[in-house]
């Protein structure tokens, strides 16, 4: 884990603007937690108003919910606009610095690797590395989901410690299963994909640039077989990642649904005993959704970050190549 953080830190150090990224991420952090709190409060007070038969109070709750939601989404849209501008410039800086570094290498260093390797380092590696910020469910979402989990858990503890305990009983297996059986091999699989991409790019480049020579020596079939083989290897490497993600997409929601049913049954018993109102139960479900959705977002973000780390490591590796005098 510390090694991964160091690799990401080196990438940010190369691109600079770390302070701006931290500020924008901190500004984005409260959105999911506030949205969960607003929705939970709305449902709780709305159902309490319905139980009391107060139409005036219900209208008042709906108006406040509409205003709060509008302001929240306007704030979120403004922050994401600033963030998108920052990320576009950040990616451009990485591409420029990487290209400048490679162009300063000696001819001997360039020729030491296949042409497809350099093409992959300038394109696929940068794309994989910068996905950590410019693709959905990555590093910023991991931070946002962590805040959402913390705030929702704190409110649940204050509302009903027993309900919080039930929710945590089903959330912790989510995280353990995803980390041990799904996310852990992602870096290795992603590195295999990047290496297979480099080999495939080399074979494709040879197929195009050496076409005349291949025709002269009747070697077209040989080059096509090589390109087909590397393409199949690339597909196989990608399928391993997709298989792990599919396992998570199938298993984790199933566990979430089982937790929902257990809490519904126990919450119904509390309502029957008069220790909890329907409004409080619906609010608890919303905060449970905040914890569960936040946990799943955090899990998916960590999986995607581990996948992107392959590109981050290769970009850092390229930048560590020393220039010859």
């Amino acid at each position: 884990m510390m090694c991964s953080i160091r690799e990401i830190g080196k990438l940010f150090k190369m691109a600079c603007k770390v302070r701006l990224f931290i500020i924008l991420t901190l500004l984005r952090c409260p959105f999911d937690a506030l949205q969960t709190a607003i929705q939970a409060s709305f449902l709780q007070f709305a159902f309490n108003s319905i139980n009391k038969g107060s139409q005036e109070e219900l209208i008042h709750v709906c108006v406040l919910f509409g205003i709060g939601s509008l302001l929240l989404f306007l704030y979120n849209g403004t922050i994401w606009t600033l963030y998108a501008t920052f990320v576009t410039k950040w990616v451009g800086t990485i591409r420029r610095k990487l290209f400048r570094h490679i162009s300063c290498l000696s001819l001997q260093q360039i020729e030491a690797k296949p042409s497809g390797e350099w093409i992959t380092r300038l394109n696929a590696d940068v794309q994989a590395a910068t996905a950590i910020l410019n693709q959905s469910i990555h590093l910023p979402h991991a931070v946002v989901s962590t805040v959402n989990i913390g705030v929702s858990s704190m409110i649940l503890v204050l509302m009903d410690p027993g309900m919080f305990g039930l929710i945590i009983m089903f959330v912790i297996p989510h995280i353990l299963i995803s980390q041990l059986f799904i996310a852990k091999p992602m870096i290795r699989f992603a590195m295999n994909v990047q290496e297979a991409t480099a080999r495939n790019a080399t074979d494709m480049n040879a197929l195009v640039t050496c076409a005349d020579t291949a025709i002269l020596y009747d070697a077209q079939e040989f080059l096509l077989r090589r390109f087909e083989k590397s393409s199949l290897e690339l597909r196989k490497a990608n399928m391993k990642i997709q298989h792990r993600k599919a396992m998570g997409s199938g298993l984790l929601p199933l566990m979430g649904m089982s937790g929902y049913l257990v809490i519904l049954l126990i919450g119904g018993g509390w309502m029957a005993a008069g220790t909890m109102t329907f409004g409080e139960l619906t609010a608890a479900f919303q905060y449970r959704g905040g914890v569960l959705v936040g946990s799943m977002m955090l899990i998916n973000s960590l999986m995607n970050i581990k996948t992107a780390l392959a590109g981050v490591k290769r970009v850092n590796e390229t930048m560590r190549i020393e220039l010859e005098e």
Side-chain angles (χ1 to χ4, degrees):
M1 184 65 182
M2 291 302 297
C3 180
S4 301
I5 294 173
R6 282 197 296 269
E7 292 292 339
I8 295 173
K10 290 175 184 176
L11 185 70
F12 274 99
K13 186 177 180 181
M14 180 181 76
C16 304
K17 301 180 181 178
V18 180
R19 184 180 298 177
L20 183 57
F21 165 71
I22 293 173
I23 292 172
L24 290 173
T25 303
L26 289 175
L27 289 173
R28 174 60 177 80
C29 278
F31 174 76
D32 283 22
L34 288 175
Q35 185 182 21
T36 301
I38 288 174
Q39 290 176 345
S41 300
F42 166 70
L43 289 173
Q44 180 177 352
F45 291 115
F47 280 114
N48 287 340
S49 301
I50 293 171
N51 289 334
K52 290 187 222 176
S54 175
Q55 186 176 2
E56 182 180 350
E57 186 176 338
L58 179 61
I59 293 173
H60 182 67
V61 170
C62 291
V63 169
L64 288 177
F65 173 72
I67 294 173
S69 298
L70 178 63
L71 293 175
L72 185 62
F73 278 95
L74 284 174
Y75 170 80
N76 186 55
T78 303
I79 297 302
W80 271 119
T81 301
L82 296 173
Y83 181 83
T85 304
F86 158 75
V87 170
T88 302
K89 294 179 179 178
W90 182 79
V91 173
T93 301
I94 290 176
R95 288 189 179 276
R96 284 195 302 272
K97 289 193 174 183
L98 190 66
F99 179 79
R100 191 180 301 123
H101 183 79
I102 292 176
S103 63
C104 292
L105 297 176
S106 66
L107 182 61
Q108 183 178 2
Q109 288 175 305
I110 294 292
E111 291 183 343
K113 295 181 183 293
S115 57
E117 179 72 22
W118 297 113
I119 294 172
T120 301
R121 287 177 184 268
L122 282 169
N123 292 289
D125 287 352
V126 174
Q127 185 177 357
T130 55
I132 205 165
L133 290 191
N134 69 354
Q135 297 294 323
S136 60
I137 318 299
H138 270 278
L139 183 59
H141 297 84
V143 179
V144 171
S145 60
T146 302
V147 173
N148 189 20
I149 293 169
V151 173
S152 298
S153 298
M154 189 180 302
I155 295 174
L156 269 172
V157 169
L158 296 175
M159 279 184 61
D160 194 319
M163 181 67 73
F164 173 72
L166 284 173
I167 291 169
I168 291 300
M169 281 176 59
F170 288 91
V171 170
I172 290 178
H174 267 71
I175 298 174
L176 292 177
I177 290 173
S178 66
Q179 289 301 300
L180 294 177
F181 300 105
I182 299 173
K184 190 175 181 180
M186 279 298 184
I187 296 179
R188 176 166 50 87
F189 289 161
M191 287 294 289
N192 292 339
V193 168
Q194 297 304 110
E195 292 168 1
T197 301
R199 290 193 296 270
N200 185 248
T202 299
D203 292 340
M204 182 178 65
N205 185 61
L207 189 64
V208 174
T209 59
C210 302
D212 295 340
T213 306
I215 292 172
L216 180 62
Y217 291 99
D218 196 22
Q220 307 100 307
E221 189 176 346
F222 170 74
L223 292 178
L224 283 170
R225 281 200 305 269
R226 282 192 54 177
F227 180 65
E228 181 183 10
K229 181 181 177 182
S230 61
S231 297
L232 291 173
E233 289 176 352
L234 177 58
R235 184 183 68 178
K236 184 178 179 181
N238 274 309
M239 284 302 295
K240 288 182 178 179
I241 292 179
Q242 297 306 320
H243 180 257
R244 289 284 174 167
K245 289 184 177 181
M247 287 176 59
S249 299
L251 181 61
L252 298 182
L254 182 62
M255 294 182 62
M257 184 58 68
S258 61
Y260 177 83
L261 292 174
V262 170
I263 294 168
L264 183 61
L265 290 172
I266 295 177
W270 289 342
M271 284 179 57
T275 58
M276 178 178 283
T277 65
F278 184 70
E280 290 172 343
L281 180 61
T282 54
F285 272 123
Q286 285 297 312
Y287 289 120
R288 173 206 176 259
V291 174
L292 187 59
V293 171
S295 298
M296 294 188 70
M297 183 184 290
L298 179 61
I299 289 165
N300 290 327
S301 298
L302 292 175
M303 287 171 59
N304 291 334
I305 289 170
K306 286 180 182 293
T307 304
L309 275 173
V312 173
K313 288 181 178 181
R314 283 173 63 89
V315 168
N316 290 336
E317 177 188 312
T318 303
M319 292 300 295
R320 284 195 293 267
I321 298 175
E322 296 183 2
L323 304 178
E324 294 183 353
E325 297 294 337

